[in-house]
């Protein structure tokens, strides 16, 4: 079982991100479960969603306390919400930001993770460029595929095409692909360096 | 067809495939996604032959389906929490008149204090309303049970409440074998009403009954609901025969064979508890799990049989009877009559507090060591409640009666 927790703010597609991730996993023949941390349906309020992915049926309905991966859609939550709480040793940390982990005060967290397990992506900027709205959730799913290898970019695209129609599917796919390629390059660079 | 869908949508599709003719509803979280989807399906033409009426309140919603059901239409509504309370007078009328309405309750806490999150306080408040109450453990079961509910309701002429945990199930996206029209048509025959308001053959339904017959009317309602103890498992067996999976029924046993301790629970915590039971069994602890699917009618004999051989049972309740403790616990106590089995009650998950594996395992550890008090509030913040009790009562006069945690 692989467990993901997504942190962001109302309006950033945090709940949709978990749903899309679960659909991508389902499309790849796996069992998946996505659900929100319920109730704070206010724009700008901190929102949490969860996704579990497994090869066997998922029975538990408790929130994810010890995530294998964290997706932070809004780094303004750092220091306000304990977003790193429970991250397993050797886990993955994906952040939507143009700043470095050091600038964000994540130097200690970065040092504790295996090399290449912490990745930053300018997801809001990629979404603005490709979709025309600064909603970072879809680019982050492309980045998640590249970072963890847990799901393929093709599965993410399949989920996007199921959710969106026509031009919106194409623009979101482009945003996911761009983020995917960025992380592939960043990871290759880190491995070479 | 297997789909990765939100629980609310899976239920809406199952309801639509049951070919309801009238849906009256008023939106309230966390039921909203169900009725929104049904409304959309009626408007788009995906659900034909159905009138969807967005009422002005829950009282009106239940009143509307009462009228529709009384003239012979297959009728459906859904609600939660304060919405269920607001329709209560009509809820009792539906059962009193023997109208086979199906209603989803997306279980949510009752205020005050206002709280939109999940517990079973809403449906439990209707324990004695004369409706059959079925509790779903998963979204697959929730979807399946709606189709079964129409069959049970119409065969008995008794309304059925399908209870599913609000948000925990309604808003969870999971793999569900979404029910298809042909299969549901083969399972669920068209509605043939036992009684009908028809101008060509006039009858009265729900007229006044005096002291000379009221007891008899109630007695017959009771006997009718006891018939459901046979009908519910039979319909579940028919469903299993056609669809190839177990959904519904009276009770659901998991690894209870030879178990010294049996946990009894309702709703979605069943899945989390299955993981807990597996972990405890792997550690050599002799525990099993019994899920109560049919809370009304309560399967006393089947429960009695299902816990035979156990030394103790632990009832986990997502609701609280203030001043008494557990609600399901009272029924379990009756079911245990004549046994030496000891019983503990655990109040858990009120107002959306997550019921975690960690807390459940810690609690079970105390239970098997016989260290669990008769009534326990899982994860109670004792610091807060102690401070408040001391503030209110400087003299510690409740020390002996307060529940220990």
């Amino acid at each position: 079982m692989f467990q993901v927790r997504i942190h962001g703010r109302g309006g950033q597609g945090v709940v949709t991100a978990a749903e899309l991730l679960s659909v991508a996993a389902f499309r790849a023949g796996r069992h998946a479960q996505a659900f929100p941390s319920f109730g704070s349906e206010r724009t700008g309020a901190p929102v949490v969603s969860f996704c579990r992915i497994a090869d066997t049926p998922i029975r538990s309905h408790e929130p994810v306390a010890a995530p294998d991966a964290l997706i932070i859609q809004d780094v303004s939550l750092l220091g306000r919400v304990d977003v790193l709480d429970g991250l397993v040793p050797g886990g993955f940390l994906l952040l939507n930001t143009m700043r470095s982990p050091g600038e964000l005060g994540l130097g200690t967290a970065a040092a504790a993770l295996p090399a290449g397990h912490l990745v930053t992506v300018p997801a809001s900027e990629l979404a603005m460029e490709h979709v025309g709205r600064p909603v970072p959730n879809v680019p982050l799913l492309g980045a998640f595929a590249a970072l963890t290898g847990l799901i393929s970019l093709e599965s993410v695209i399949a989920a996007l095409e199921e959710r969106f129609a026509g031009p919106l599917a194409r623009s979101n796919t482009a945003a996911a692909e761009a983020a995917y390629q960025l992380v592939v390059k960043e990871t290759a660079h880190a491995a070479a360096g | 067809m297997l789909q990765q869908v939100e629980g609310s949508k899976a239920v809406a599709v199952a309801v639509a495939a049951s070919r309801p003719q009238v849906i009256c509803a008023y939106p309230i979280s966390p039921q909203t996604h169900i009725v929104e989807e049904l409304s959309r399906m009626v408007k788009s033409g995906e659900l034909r032959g159905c009138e969807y009426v967005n009422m002005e309140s829950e009282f009106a919603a239940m009143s509307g389906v009462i009228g529709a059901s009384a003239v012979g239409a297959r009728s459906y509504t859904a609600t939660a929490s304060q919405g269920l309370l607001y329709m209560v007078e009509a809820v009792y009328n539906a059962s009193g008149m023997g109208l086979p309405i199906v209603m989803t309750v997306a279980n949510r806490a009752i205020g005050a204090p206002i709280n939109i999150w999940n517990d079973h306080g809403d449906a439990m408040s209707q324990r004695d309303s004369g409706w059959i109450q079925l509790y779903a453990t998963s979204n697959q079961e929730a979807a399946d049970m709606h189709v079964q509910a129409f069959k049970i309701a119409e065969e008995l002429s008794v309304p059925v409440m399908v209870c599913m945990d609000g948000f925990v199930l309604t808003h969870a996206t999971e793999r569900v074998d979404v029910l298809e029209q042909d299969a549901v048509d083969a399972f669920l025959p068209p509605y043939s009403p036992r009684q009908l308001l028809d101008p060509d053959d006039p009858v009265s339904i729900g007229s006044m009954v005096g002291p000379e017959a009221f007891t008899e009317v109630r007695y017959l309602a009771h006997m009718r609901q006891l018939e459901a103890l046979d009908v519910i498992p039979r319909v579940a067996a028919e469903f299993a025969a056609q669809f190839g999976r177990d959904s519904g029924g009276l009770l659901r046993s998991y690894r209870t064979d030879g178990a010294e301790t049996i946990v009894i629970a309702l709703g979605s915590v069943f899945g989390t508890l299955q993981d807990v039971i597996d972990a405890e069994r792997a550690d050599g602890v002799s525990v099993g799990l019994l899920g109560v699917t049919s809370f009304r009618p309560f399967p006393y004999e089947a429960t009695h049989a299902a816990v035979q051989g156990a030394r103790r049972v632990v009832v986990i309740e997502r609701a609280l009877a203030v001043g008494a403790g557990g609600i399901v616990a009272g029924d379990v106590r009756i079911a245990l009559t004549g046994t030496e089995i000891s019983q503990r009650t655990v109040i858990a998950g009120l107002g959306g507090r997550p019921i975690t594996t960690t807390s459940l395992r810690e609690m079970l550890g105390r239970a098997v060591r016989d260290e669990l008090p008769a009534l326990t509030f899982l994860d109670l913040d004792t610091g807060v409640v102690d401070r408040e009790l001391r503030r209110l009562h400087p003299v510690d006069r409740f020390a002996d009666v307060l529940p220990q945690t």
Side-chain angles (χ1 to χ4, degrees), chain A residues 72 75 78 93-104 106 110 116-123 126 140 143 147 179 182-184 186-187:
Chain A
I72 313 300
V75 291
L78 292 169
L93 178 54
L94 173 63
L95 300 121
N96 167 30
T97 182
M98 294 181 77
R99 292 191 281 167
S100 71
E103 287 172 317
L104 293 168
L106 289 172
H117 277 222
L118 186 156
V119 164
T120 62
V121 186
L126 289 171
L140 283 166
L147 172 62
L182 266 184
V183 174
V184 168
E186 191 174 331
T187 314

Side-chain angles (χ1 to χ4, degrees), chain B residues 329-349:
Chain B
D331 289 310
V332 172
R333 177 72 72 192
I334 293 169
L336 296 186
T337 303
T339 74
E340 297 291 314
I341 302 169
S342 72
Q343 180 178 338
R344 293 290 177 266
T345 303
V346 177
I347 308 295

